[in-house]
Amino acid sequence: MTRVLVVGAGVIGLSSAWALTRAGAAVTVVDPDPERGASPIAAGMLAPIAEAHPTEPALLAAGRRAVEAWPDFASALAATGVDPGYRTTGTLVVGYTASDLAALDDLAARLAGLGVDVERLTGTACRRAEPALAPGVRGGLDVPTDHSVDNRALLRALRTALGAAGVEMIAEAPAEADVTVIAAGAWTPELEPSLDGLVRPVRGEIVRLRAGRRTPVLSRTVRALVDGRGVYLVPRATGELVVGATQDEVGFDRTVTAGGVHRLLTDARRVLPAVDEYALVETSAGLRPVSADGAPIVGAVGPGRVVATGHGRNGILFAPLTATLVADLVTGTAPDPLVAAAFAPGRFTPARIR
Ligand code: GLY
């Protein structure tokens, strides 16, 4: 039995550990501080169309493949005991000003160029779909195939599934493993020097709100351009609403700033005026691991060493695909060529990475 050490208990490490366990490996997960990563802070968008810059066809294609992998991934996890809160209610992208609407037209045209047709909606049609939206919304795009999941329920589900499978989750690395999978998010280059300069932290601040019993809620994710700035609101079935997210290049600083929270709440109120009635439950910040070209970096970087990082804004989305790829690489199974090529570490520095 192959002994695999997975370094990192975020969504990528835990999903990979689960896929490896299901593929018959003996897995141990090590993480001295699982709460410091991006996964507990994520909003849980499964939104390759609304979230990605559709300038990278391979990444968009991989994202759409990830969306297709989610139903099986979520139901297999739910079957092990904890429902990860997967929702297929879709995503609406909305805009306010003439230039926001022009940006949405541009997005729709680029997507059409890549073979993805999204329906253009008037402001009235947006409010028909989501009656709680502000009157100032002037138009939008309907993206029914962009979904969401409760990131924290997902992490609980993965830990429960791993625990049931007998996987040890520990704080300090044990001695021996045949293969080490490094899935340490923005910290991965510290453990794998061949990735030096290829993965950096990008801070994202989020606000968690909770609707009261009579407060108007959204039924789907709304991503908005508010005077050119992006904000998203991701509702949970529980009444929770995650508002995100800022993007700051401030190194490993996880400070929640007054300015960041102010901006998120200001923009969220423009989208959903009822935000004023929500309870403010939490403000927090996480560090997205962003790669030099924006695509994940998943693959072998040496004998017995595999990395899985660089998922940027899409770590939750790409978790099932990454996990399958990692398990395929470790067990010597032929991987999905589209995903393996789009995520290959060797695309950056063939000389540094064998
Ligand atoms: N996908 C959400 C974020 O990165 O903020």
Side-chain angles (χ1 to χ4, degrees), residues 204-219:
E205 295 161 83
I206 55 125
V207 172
R208 282 174 191 260
L209 307 171
R210 184 173 302 282
R213 267 197 304 138
R214 287 191 230 293
T215 325
V217 295
L218 297 171
S219 69

Side-chain angles (χ1 to χ4, degrees), residues 45 51 232 245 288 313:
M45 298 168 80
E51 272 289 275
Y232 53 75
R288 307 175 185 89
R313 298 177 67 91

